[in-house]
Amino acid sequence: MDADYVTRTMRRDEVALAIDWAAQEGWNPGLHDAQTFPAADPQGFFVGTLADEPVASISVVKYEPGFAFLGLYIVRPPWRGRGLGWKLWQHAMASAPGRLIGLDGVVAQQPNYRKSGFELAWRNVRYEGRGGAPSPVDARVVDLAGVPFSAVCAFDRAYFPAERTAFLRAWLAQPDAMARGWVEEGRLRGYGVVRRCRSGWKIGPLFAEGERIAEDLFLALCACAGAGEAVYLDLPEVNPAAVALAQRHHMHVVFETARMYTGRPPALNMHGLYGVTTFELG
């Protein structure tokens, strides 16, 4: 191990560097991820430096109660194979003792994640399609900004393992993004967000109580993108209705991850989970 290698918590301004590395790896981050991600846990991002030069990154974002999510695990190509990533991994994992930890990793790395105590729960699959379709004409599809924020947080809790109020506040307010809700008789029954990325747009999250609601929200979000622009949806393969939604709109698979946890997967409403928020934060 290099004697001058240091692992530490990132400063908030350094998160942008990890996001740039993610873009270089082909992960296509959102334009404003560096500003919104730290809202989830400002102390959840870590860097490894060699002679004060950043060479590795990882995040272990802590949510309450008792949950964390690992992402942005990157070692710059010139410094791979020297154990630098593993040392940073250990440093970051030590920041979340006793918590259930999840990750979305490339499928080929499953054996390595198993060595660190992670087990496969399901596959998440990225589908690519095109935007620009007309938005559905239905008064129940509304701008989410008109829905009480407390109602959005309460609805979100059925589809995510922990409370994430600070993150949602930043996520819904980010520039170059649109959020839509599906409201019936004053009750929120689904919501989704689409944000501009380095290439095209990503939908996430997309949570809905039924297939019709998911369909309307999906079309409304796709309409926010320009005609012909790429639109991506990361969905859990274990939800057949989500797969059917993507296939019905002629989307095709471009990437997949292994969703893994260090213990029993959290109890979520998988039937209503049509789109993962991000592969980096869960």
Side-chain angles (χ1 to χ4, degrees), residues 126-215:
R126 174 166 295 167
Y127 280 81
E128 178 182 347
R130 290 288 176 258
S135 183
V137 181
D138 190 324
R140 293 172 294 188
V141 178
V142 302
D143 187 330
L144 196 66
V147 177
F149 181 63
S150 59
V152 178
C153 292
F155 185 86
D156 185 81
R157 191 62 183 83
Y159 305 93
F160 193 79
E163 178 272 325
R164 53 176 181 171
T165 301
F167 169 74
L168 283 179
R169 195 179 301 279
W171 195 247
L172 297 179
Q174 66 180 299
D176 300 302
M178 280 69 73
R180 299 290 181 264
W182 204 96
V183 178
E184 186 172 45
E185 297 180 353
R187 187 168 71 87
L188 182 66
R189 298 189 60 196
Y191 90 92
V193 178
V194 63
R195 76 192 195 281
R196 186 179 286 279
C197 295
R198 302 288 178 100
S199 173
W201 300 73
K202 282 184 190 172
I203 295 174
L206 179 55
F207 303 150
E209 290 184 351
E211 294 183 44
R212 163 66 191 278
I213 298 170
E215 177 87 9

Side-chain angles (χ1 to χ4, degrees), residues 54-265:
V55 298
S57 68
I58 195 171
S59 59
V60 177
V61 169
K62 276 75 70 182
Y63 299 96
E64 296 300 341
F67 180 66
F69 203 87
L70 185 153
L72 292 173
Y73 184 40
I74 304 169
V75 178
R76 302 293 289 138
W79 292 278
R80 291 175 183 172
R82 295 164 59 169
L84 305 180
W86 173 238
K87 185 175 181 181
L88 183 60
W89 171 288
Q90 292 175 302
H91 177 91
M93 289 288 285
S95 73
R99 292 175 182 257
L100 175 69
I101 303 175
L103 64 79
D104 273 306
V106 294
V107 175
Q109 289 297 319
Q110 284 185 63
N112 288 333
Y113 295 134
R114 284 197 181 96
K115 292 176 183 176
S116 294
F118 288 83
E119 292 294 335
L120 178 67
W122 62 79
R123 292 196 318 160
N124 284 326
V125 183
R126 174 166 295 167
Y127 280 81
E128 178 182 347
R130 290 288 176 258
S135 183
V137 181
D138 190 324
R140 293 172 294 188
V141 178
V142 302
D143 187 330
L144 196 66
V147 177
F149 181 63
S150 59
V152 178
C153 292
F155 185 86
D156 185 81
R157 191 62 183 83
Y159 305 93
F160 193 79
E163 178 272 325
R164 53 176 181 171
T165 301
F167 169 74
L168 283 179
R169 195 179 301 279
W171 195 247
L172 297 179
Q174 66 180 299
D176 300 302
M178 280 69 73
R180 299 290 181 264
W182 204 96
V183 178
E184 186 172 45
E185 297 180 353
R187 187 168 71 87
L188 182 66
R189 298 189 60 196
Y191 90 92
V193 178
V194 63
R195 76 192 195 281
R196 186 179 286 279
C197 295
R198 302 288 178 100
S199 173
W201 300 73
K202 282 184 190 172
I203 295 174
L206 179 55
F207 303 150
E209 290 184 351
E211 294 183 44
R212 163 66 191 278
I213 298 170
E215 177 87 9
D216 283 355
L217 287 170
F218 174 82
L219 290 173
L221 295 170
C222 285
C224 297
E229 288 192 275
V231 175
Y232 301 94
L233 177 65
D234 300 335
L235 60 85
E237 194 179 47
V238 291
N239 182 357
V243 175
L245 171 68
Q247 294 176 342
R248 189 162 58 248
H249 292 283
H250 310 291
M251 304 182 86
H252 62 279
V253 176
V254 294
F255 184 63
E256 68 180 69
T257 70
R259 170 59 64 88
M260 307 180 77
Y261 294 97
T262 52
R264 182 186 296 275

Side-chain angles (χ1 to χ4, degrees), residues 12-25:
R12 186 156 185 156
D13 64 287
E14 291 176 312
V15 175
L17 184 62
I19 299 298
D20 285 341
W21 292 352
Q24 293 165 23
E25 293 292 322

